Amino acid sequence: MRFLHVYGVHRSAYKLYLQHIICKRSLSVCAITVNKNAISPGRGNHILCQPTDCANLHSHFIGLQQRRHNSTEGGEEIPTVYIPTFDEMSYEWIEYMHLQTGLPWWLTIIAATIAMRTVIHLPLAIMTQRTMARFENVQPEINGYVELFRQKFAIEAKEKKWRPKYAAATYDKGVRHIIKVHHHREKCGPLRALFPIGGHLVTWYGMSVALGQMAGGSPKLFGTEMDVDFIPEFINSGSLWFSNLTVPDPVFLLPLANFIVSIVLIECWSLRRGPETKTFQRLKLALRGVSLGILPVATILPASIQLFWLTSSLCGLGQFFLLRQPQVRRFVGVPKSPSEMTQPLTEMAQIFRARYLAKKMF
């Protein structure tokens, strides 16, 4: 069984402390039970607690807190500090929202996803837009310096009679230095563009694993501990045709809808000004392949994860169109760039017609 230590306090002690507070406020619902013979302790177990148990609960909490897990080295006790993983933090976040709002689990998943996309992913998306706009704005200046450097370098290499291999290596080093200096000055280096992508992947992974654990998914895939992680209410806390959140969508509408939304998002992202380069085309094909590859995997996952993926994709599509509006971009501090669209929907429709529909008949 997994034990969490938050600042050296055993997870069970922490939960008992929560029960103690709840009982002191004369509430009747406890997070777990003190009597282990009644029900197995776990994150998903909820029972009714009698107010008479509060005194025993307080003394039991004090005992557990005194027996917290410590490391012994040389006869001295060293308190253990546990740093929770992303899936554990996601689990606690979803469970906290459910307890605070009282929403059914399927609505809790949607609300937690929207909150995550708004609080975490939206700032990261804004950071990406700022970085890309600065990168685009500084590119003409970089091209000018590179051209000037090329002319001076050609003269110097001819005068000093450098060998072609040495001259090419020196030239590439000089160009990389020019690019690095300008990117550092404008704060638009490649790491700044990759950091938001990493943030998206980490939070998406954490939420997926947490929901898989709540649904009692495969222990090998999600690391599920049934007596700790599984929430029995998931069996009948769905909605419409996916009433059971622990099994895959029986009619495959959730994974299919997620696939369609992902493809729409990729195609809308690719509708930008200018001709498509080979690198851009390869990237677009790779993203399409990833979306297509996820489809069969999504069909065998619990409906809770399928619902999260669909909600996240819809939020991503909405954020995409939101951050394409010039007024919104100015409001969040994204500088104006040459590729920015003044009327995004109209211009994207024109690009789509010119790229896919305006084919020559002869």
Side-chain angles (χ1 to χ4, degrees), residues 172-191:
D172 291 340
K173 184 178 179 181
V175 171
R176 287 196 300 268
H177 178 72
I178 294 174
I179 295 174
K180 182 179 179 180
V181 168
H182 284 78
H183 284 177
H184 179 75
R185 187 194 68 190
E186 298 296 330
K187 299 180 180 180
C188 60
L191 290 180

Side-chain angles (χ1 to χ4, degrees), residues 65-349:
Q65 191 177 26
Q66 292 174 352
R67 296 191 304 270
R68 67 181 59 172
H69 279 224
N70 293 331
S71 300
T72 58
E73 183 177 355
E76 298 181 359
E77 292 187 350
I78 303 175
T80 303
V81 178
Y82 182 86
I83 301 177
T85 60
F86 289 103
D87 58 288
E88 289 167 344
M89 289 189 291
S90 300
Y91 193 114
E92 300 298 336
W93 163 242
I94 299 171
E95 193 175 41
Y96 174 81
M97 285 202 66
H98 176 70
L99 294 175
Q100 293 298 317
T101 61
L103 294 172
W105 280 108
W106 70 276
L107 271 180
T108 300
I109 294 172
I110 294 177
T113 305
I114 295 175
M116 180 195 69
R117 297 285 310 201
T118 303
V119 176
I120 300 178
H121 288 191
L122 183 58
L124 293 177
I126 293 173
M127 182 187 302
T128 301
Q129 293 297 319
R130 290 173 180 169
T131 302
M132 298 306 296
R134 292 168 183 164
F135 179 85
E136 188 176 352
N137 290 336
V138 78
Q139 195 60 39
E141 184 178 352
I142 292 177
N143 294 338
Y145 275 98
V146 168
E147 178 61 24
L148 182 61
F149 172 73
R150 187 188 66 81
Q151 296 175 1
K152 293 183 177 180
F153 182 83
I155 298 174
E156 184 178 1
K158 186 176 181 179
E159 292 178 349
K160 296 183 178 180
K161 298 180 180 180
W162 286 343
R163 290 177 295 178
K165 187 176 181 179
Y166 175 79
T170 306
Y171 175 78
D172 291 340
K173 184 178 179 181
V175 171
R176 287 196 300 268
H177 178 72
I178 294 174
I179 295 174
K180 182 179 179 180
V181 168
H182 284 78
H183 284 177
H184 179 75
R185 187 194 68 190
E186 298 296 330
K187 299 180 180 180
C188 60
L191 290 180
R192 287 180 176 268
L194 294 177
F195 175 75
I197 298 176
H200 280 275
L201 293 176
V202 166
T203 53
W204 180 83
Y205 169 80
M207 288 284 288
S208 300
V209 173
L211 289 170
Q213 293 174 348
M214 289 179 165
S218 170
K220 293 183 179 180
L221 184 60
F222 301 107
T224 307
E225 299 179 21
M226 295 299 293
D227 59 339
V228 177
D229 302 321
F230 177 56
I231 297 181
E233 290 86 352
F234 265 43
I235 297 176
N236 54 8
S237 294
S239 179
L240 301 176
W241 69 92
F242 56 98
S243 59
N244 189 347
L245 296 176
T246 64
V247 298
D249 180 4
V251 293
F252 305 111
L253 284 181
L254 291 176
L256 184 60
N258 176 63
F259 171 72
I260 294 174
V261 174
S262 299
I263 291 297
V264 170
L265 179 58
I266 294 171
E267 296 304 321
C268 291
W269 170 78
S270 66
L271 296 176
R272 53 182 64 194
R273 295 174 178 174
E276 290 185 310
T277 62
K278 290 184 178 180
T279 303
F280 186 81
Q281 291 177 353
R282 294 192 186 106
L283 179 59
K284 185 170 66 173
L285 289 175
L287 293 175
R288 289 174 179 172
V290 171
S291 299
L292 184 61
I294 289 178
L295 179 59
V297 176
T299 58
I300 63 176
L301 294 176
S304 57
I305 299 179
Q306 296 174 352
L307 180 61
F308 161 63
W309 285 6
L310 176 58
T311 307
S312 180
S313 297
L314 288 172
C315 290
L317 186 62
Q319 289 179 3
F320 171 82
F321 284 108
L322 178 66
L323 294 179
R324 281 296 181 273
Q325 302 300 322
Q327 298 86 353
V328 177
R329 293 170 68 86
R330 299 294 88 76
F331 178 77
V332 297
V334 179
K336 189 174 182 179
S337 59
S339 65
E340 182 177 293
M341 299 179 179
T342 56
Q343 297 179 342
L345 293 178
T346 303
E347 295 184 32
M348 289 171 64

Side-chain angles (χ1 to χ4, degrees), residues 34-55:
V34 180
N35 184 4
K36 295 184 179 180
N37 296 325
I39 188 172
S40 298
R43 294 194 288 198
N45 297 326
H46 301 271
I47 66 165
L48 295 179
C49 176
Q50 300 298 329
T52 56
D53 295 334
C54 292

